[in-house]
Amino acid sequence: MKLHPDISPNAAGGEQLGQISIFLATVTIIFFVVSACWAIGSKTETRFYLCLCLIVVVQTFLIFHFGG
């Protein structure tokens, strides 16, 4: 920061971006596991929970692919 005072801390280090990426990946994995368990346990809503898992995984992939 002392070498480049005109650059914001986010652009200089990128630590916050890394922490947000790890948090997003962790939340996605937890949501996927919970939704997959609900899909396995549900007799009537299996397709809904599997589609929900797919949407969340694709959304996260697109954020990682185009966001950084």
Side-chain angles (χ1 to χ4, degrees):
M1 291 302 297
K2 293 179 183 179
L3 297 175
H4 301 286
D6 54 334
I7 299 176
S8 72
N10 292 341
E15 292 89 4
Q16 290 178 348
L17 183 61
Q19 292 174 353
I20 290 171
S21 298
I22 290 171
F23 176 74
L24 179 62
T26 304
V27 169
T28 301
I29 291 169
I30 291 170
F31 189 84
F32 179 81
V33 168
V34 169
S35 295
C37 289
W38 277 101
I40 292 169
S42 176
K43 295 188 185 324
T44 58
E45 300 294 328
T46 301
R47 188 173 185 163
F48 168 75
Y49 287 113
L50 291 177
C51 288
L52 190 62
C53 288
L54 180 66
I55 289 170
V56 169
V57 169
V58 168
Q59 169 184 305
T60 304
F61 173 76
L62 290 175
I63 288 172
F64 281 144
H65 185 68
F66 293 115

